[in-house]
Amino acid sequence: MYSESDIDGAVTAGAISPAAAAALRAHVATSHAAPAVDEEHFRLLTGFNDIFVAIALVLLLVAVGQIGMAITPAAGGTLVAAASWGLAEYFTTRRRMALPSILLLIAFVGGVAGALFGLVETVAPHIDGRAGALAAAGVALAAAGAAWLHWRRFMVPITVAAGAAALVGTAIGLALAAVPTIEQAVWPLLLVGGLAVFATAMRWDMSDTQRRTRRSDVAFWLHLAAAPMIAHSIFQMLGVFRGEIGAGMALVVLALYVGFAAIALAVDRRALLVSGLAYVLAALYALFRSAGAIELGAALTAFVIGSALLSLSAFWQPMRRAVVTALSQSLRHRLPAVA
């Protein structure tokens, strides 16, 4: 399977003509009965060899980390980061393997963060409070810097999302260090960070409304990072899982999920729907139980949500057309075209 950026790369290299690329996209859109932008293509696997290499990489990096941890906590992360960078020089730069490249990026950024956490634990094992928040912010900032370096060298699409998530962690750590009493406001802070990442994702998306370049892949991962920050923050602030879900709370959750669906249709991204799924399942299950369907509550919940999501997928284009048509003309031009 090839992504849109792979096709563009083939055109740039002269392997196929622009006309042939356009014909290929048109054929795929016709065979799928949906425009290419609605499919949310992203490159994860080029073949089973990706899985084979990914398993080998996980085994190797875990072993390297354990060997380093036997020396010092910081050495484990350092060795993992160094090994990940070196392996990326081959599997990302030369082989251009998708899944191994993603794993190596995560291992590199995680190794840098782990090395610094190990260093802090060695120097100040009982650090907490304001100093602990500052240390966490510093580690997150270093992780963001590591992501930036990795992006400059390898340009793996998920790297921007990893860096954005690290910057959100940096901001929250600095806020807690500046005002330790706002510890209870972590969820609102995370919501603000999620909205900022979502805005960044939209900026990348709006620069490629046809979703034919690497910018669309970057936007996909940014949406995937922003969605759980937004959904979990909102539902946690509502206290959905802090007690029994009543009928009123269940209706609020369902209404919010309908709002998420409208946003997902407008921007043509499904990440928000996936991130809020656990909460809407719990809410609908609570409604069925309150209605007396105790034994079949779980089955009815799965049936209703499964049917709704399948219907949404089947009628994505007409439903999206209805949502986008209701928007202003200036905003419609910044969103992916409606079939």
Side-chain angles (χ1 to χ4, degrees):
M1 180 178 178
Y2 303 100
S3 68
E4 292 286 341
S5 57
D6 289 329
I7 297 175
D8 282 338
V11 172
T12 303
I16 59 175
S17 67
L24 175 60
R25 290 188 176 102
H27 169 72
V28 172
T30 302
S31 62
H32 290 182
V37 293
D38 282 346
E39 297 299 317
E40 269 196 284
H41 292 296
F42 72 99
R43 188 181 178 192
L44 183 62
L45 295 174
T46 56
F48 188 77
N49 192 41
D50 279 39
I51 300 175
F52 181 77
V53 172
I55 293 172
L57 288 174
V58 170
L59 293 174
L60 177 62
L61 292 174
V62 168
V64 168
Q66 289 181 340
I67 292 172
M69 288 287 290
I71 304 172
T72 63
T78 302
L79 289 179
V80 168
S84 299
W85 187 282
L87 291 166
E89 290 288 350
Y90 177 72
F91 289 107
T92 301
T93 303
R94 296 183 59 184
R95 297 288 301 275
R96 304 184 67 82
M97 302 180 75
L99 181 58
S101 296
I102 293 171
L103 291 177
L104 289 171
L105 172 274
I106 295 172
F108 176 72
V109 175
V112 171
L116 291 176
F117 269 123
L119 182 61
V120 171
E121 183 182 351
T122 302
V123 175
H126 304 295
I127 190 172
D128 58 3
R130 178 170 290 174
L134 275 175
V139 172
L141 184 60
W148 180 80
L149 287 174
H150 201 279
W151 171 257
R152 297 288 294 178
R153 179 68 182 95
F154 303 108
M155 299 189 73
V156 180
I158 193 178
T159 310
V160 180
L167 287 177
V168 171
T170 303
I172 293 176
L174 290 175
L176 291 174
V179 188
T181 55
I182 66 168
E183 185 175 349
Q184 300 301 321
V186 170
W187 289 115
L189 290 173
L190 187 61
L191 175 59
V192 173
L195 291 174
V197 176
F198 180 82
T200 305
M202 289 305 303
R203 185 166 183 175
W204 283 81
D205 250 345
M206 289 177 178
S207 67
D208 180 23
T209 56
Q210 296 299 316
R211 295 188 178 170
R212 294 179 176 177
T213 68
R214 188 191 301 269
R215 301 184 71 84
S216 176
D217 296 336
V218 172
F220 168 83
W221 291 108
L222 282 167
H223 278 290
L224 210 61
M229 295 183 196
I230 295 171
H232 295 325
S233 298
I234 291 175
F235 290 122
Q236 288 295 329
M237 285 189 291
L238 288 174
V240 174
F241 286 147
R242 285 204 295 266
E244 191 71 21
I245 301 177
M249 177 64 73
L251 291 174
V252 170
V253 172
L254 291 175
L256 282 171
Y257 197 71
V258 171
F260 285 172
I263 295 173
L265 286 166
V267 303
D268 207 9
R269 295 289 187 185
R270 297 161 178 79
L272 269 176
L273 292 174
V274 176
S275 296
L277 190 58
Y279 299 96
V280 75
L281 285 170
L284 198 58
Y285 178 66
L287 281 179
F288 281 125
R289 286 181 61 88
S290 64
I294 298 177
E295 293 183 357
L296 292 176
L300 289 173
T301 299
F303 177 80
V304 171
I305 294 299
S307 300
L309 293 179
L310 286 175
S311 299
L312 185 62
S313 177
F315 299 102
W316 185 267
Q317 295 177 58
M319 294 177 71
R320 182 165 186 269
R321 186 181 304 113
V323 171
V324 174
T325 303
L327 301 175
S328 65
Q329 185 175 4
S330 61
L331 187 56
R332 288 201 298 267
H333 288 315
R334 295 172 177 238
L335 296 174
V338 179

